[in-house]
Amino acid sequence: MNAVQVNRKAADRAASGHPWIFASDITHLDGAQPGQPVQVNDPRGRPLGIAHYSSASQIALRLLTRELREIDRAFFLHRLQAAEQHRRRVVHDSDAYRVVHGEADLLPALIVDRYADYLVVQTLNQGMDASKAEILSCLEEIYHPKGIVLRNDAAIRSKEQLPLERSGTAPDAVTVRMNGLTLRADLLHGQKTGIFLDQRENYRAAARYARGGKALDCFTSTGGFALHLAAKCESVEAVDSSASAIAAARANAHENQIRNINFHEADVFDLLARYASERRQFSLVVLDPPAFTKSRKTVDAAATGYKEINLRALRLLGPGSILVTCSCSQHFSEADLLEVVAQASLDAGKTLRVLERRTQSKDHPILLTVPETLYLKCLILETL
């Protein structure tokens, strides 16, 4: 195994519990090859652990283990079994969940989602892509799936000089159970890997605060929030700019015999402005937009977007109403979200009570020393 040497900055970062080492912090490569497991040594030659090496990404090394050991099939089998044991403890009333959440399961750049009898896999760096055969073999042994789909079409693979591709066999729609509902997931063409699994627990939380009246679910995607709110509300409006998303959400409502959701294909910003001018009122509004920023350089622009959309939503809420507002932008912190919502509430002349501050569901675990594993923020607020 090649021994890559890094500088003091990288060694200190590793000692702080973070698995990433940047290309600028490598002082000697020792002939390391793309995707290869390498031993990582500090400036004095002391081993820090074993990492996957990437020749293309700025994140050149991702630590796999602090031990000096082979990165073989036995290694992946042990890590995947540990990941599944965690899901058995934290996932309830669902056969759709995340099996592996990258760094948070000590398998950097690997994503595995389960949809009933099917698995969806993403290998997002050179190392995991090179280990694909061993990983798939282990998944077959643990789950005995009817099929495995490779959704390696994520843009981040381009930074690893890896091709964007999809492969595997699955039905056009895989039926799964979630929180007492039946949902259909398109594993080959749906957003993310089929369904937004990270919001599963937040769907239930939002429904707990629904107290009749009319609800508005913005950026509904496959209908997650709307379907959960329907049983508690007189009616729900579900909005998305994607025709395919609206079609999928409508099919999910039909599958569950839910008839009090009206689906609209529309631009959410424009629709909220129109509803405000029409003085429409709702008892609950959900904002679950796509990421407004994917880099620190555009955080200020994202803040403007988040403030504006929350301001427009607040104008539709009277006293005693509920706002559920989310951000999946990794670079936009909970503190950032709280600040822009507070600013929006002042501009709207509303006083807000914080009912819950939530994150992603527990099958998307968060490592205390790796802040990048926390990306989803969900605030549940009440107007006074």
Side-chain angles (χ1 to χ4, degrees):
M1 187 177 292
N2 298 87
V4 173
Q5 192 165 50
V6 300
N7 62 18
R8 174 51 54 193
K9 180 181 177 182
D12 289 345
R13 185 176 179 84
S16 74
H18 205 290
W20 294 357
I21 294 173
F22 297 97
S24 58
D25 294 326
I26 295 175
T27 57
H28 181 59
L29 272 177
D30 189 36
Q33 297 300 305
Q36 181 183 55
V38 296
Q39 180 175 321
V40 182
N41 294 337
D42 73 5
R44 297 174 63 181
R46 295 174 299 190
L48 299 173
I50 306 299
H52 271 151
Y53 168 65
S54 170
S55 62
S57 173
Q58 289 185 12
I59 307 172
L61 297 169
R62 295 181 193 242
L63 286 167
L64 299 163
T65 175
R66 309 283 170 168
E67 302 172 353
L68 297 184
R69 58 159 298 171
E70 290 292 323
I71 305 302
D72 51 12
R73 188 182 186 277
F75 169 83
F76 286 111
L77 183 62
H78 174 73
R79 286 283 163 88
L80 291 168
Q81 287 173 331
E84 173 57 16
Q85 287 170 8
H86 174 67
R87 273 65 186 182
R88 290 178 187 174
R89 291 191 294 268
V90 302
V91 176
H92 307 287
D93 197 20
S94 179
D95 61 1
Y97 56 90
R98 177 147 293 183
V99 171
V100 177
H101 187 49
E103 280 78 354
D105 285 297
L106 309 182
L107 288 167
L110 177 64
I111 300 295
V112 183
D113 288 338
R114 183 177 186 178
Y115 292 92
D117 295 323
Y118 292 85
L119 298 176
V120 181
V121 177
Q122 294 180 308
T123 50
L124 300 177
N125 74 348
Q126 293 176 352
M128 286 301 175
D129 204 59
S131 303
K132 193 161 43 184
E134 292 171 322
I135 292 167
L136 297 182
S137 171
C138 294
L139 291 172
E140 291 276 2
E141 179 178 334
I142 296 169
Y143 295 99
H144 307 289
K146 289 183 179 178
I148 297 179
V149 172
L150 289 173
R151 278 293 297 266
N152 280 330
D153 52 355
I156 194 172
R157 279 175 56 96
S158 298
K159 295 181 179 180
E160 297 277 342
Q161 296 180 354
L162 295 170
L164 304 186
E165 54 194 10
R166 303 176 190 176
S167 61
T169 303
D172 291 339
V174 174
T175 300
V176 299
R177 294 179 298 102
M178 180 186 290
N179 300 337
L181 294 169
T182 300
L183 304 177
R184 294 158 65 85
D186 182 349
L187 306 189
L188 276 165
H189 305 102
Q191 293 187 51
K192 285 202 169 181
T193 61
I195 294 176
F196 286 89
L197 302 175
D198 50 7
Q199 289 280 28
R200 186 184 64 255
E201 295 170 12
N202 295 331
Y203 293 153
R204 268 189 162 162
R208 286 200 298 269
Y209 294 97
R211 298 185 288 267
K214 298 178 180 179
L216 176 63
D217 177 19
C218 301
F219 309 99
T220 192
S221 186
T222 53
F225 278 105
L227 295 167
H228 285 76
L229 294 171
K232 301 287 190 70
C233 295
E234 174 189 331
S235 64
V236 181
E237 289 193 38
V239 185
D240 202 286
S241 61
S242 166
S244 59
I246 289 294
R250 188 176 281 117
N252 283 331
H254 178 76
E255 185 79 17
N256 291 278
Q257 299 182 347
I258 296 173
R259 298 181 176 86
N260 63 335
I261 305 178
N262 297 312
F263 296 96
H264 302 295
E265 181 187 343
D267 179 275
V268 170
F269 279 87
D270 293 343
L271 180 131
L272 290 175
R274 178 162 60 85
Y275 279 4
S277 67
E278 295 171 357
R279 300 186 182 278
R280 294 278 300 273
Q281 290 283 288
F282 293 88
S283 61
L284 189 151
V285 173
V286 176
L287 300 176
D288 185 21
F292 283 176
T293 177
K294 294 189 176 181
S295 76
R296 289 187 176 88
K297 296 177 182 178
T298 54
V299 165
D300 289 344
T304 301
Y306 282 119
K307 179 184 174 182
E308 183 61 30
I309 200 167
N310 280 278
L311 174 61
R312 296 186 187 192
L314 285 167
R315 288 173 174 157
L316 308 180
L317 296 171
S321 299
I322 301 296
L323 174 65
V324 180
T325 184
C326 307
S327 168
C328 61
S329 301
Q330 179 185 304
H331 298 288
F332 202 76
S333 70
E334 185 194 55
D336 294 331
L337 183 61
L338 285 164
E339 182 178 350
V340 298
V341 175
Q343 292 171 355
S345 71
L346 293 172
D347 288 355
K350 308 283 185 180
T351 299
L352 297 179
R353 173 189 289 145
V354 178
L355 299 177
E356 292 196 41
R357 294 159 63 172
R358 304 181 59 85
T359 62
Q360 63 247 32
S361 55
K362 296 182 188 67
D363 54 327
H364 294 61
I366 299 164
L367 290 190
L368 185 60
T369 58
V370 188
E372 292 83 1
T373 57
L374 167 58
Y375 66 96
L376 180 62
K377 284 74 61 176
C378 175
L379 305 177
I380 303 181
L381 309 155
E382 181 181 24
T383 57
L384 299 182

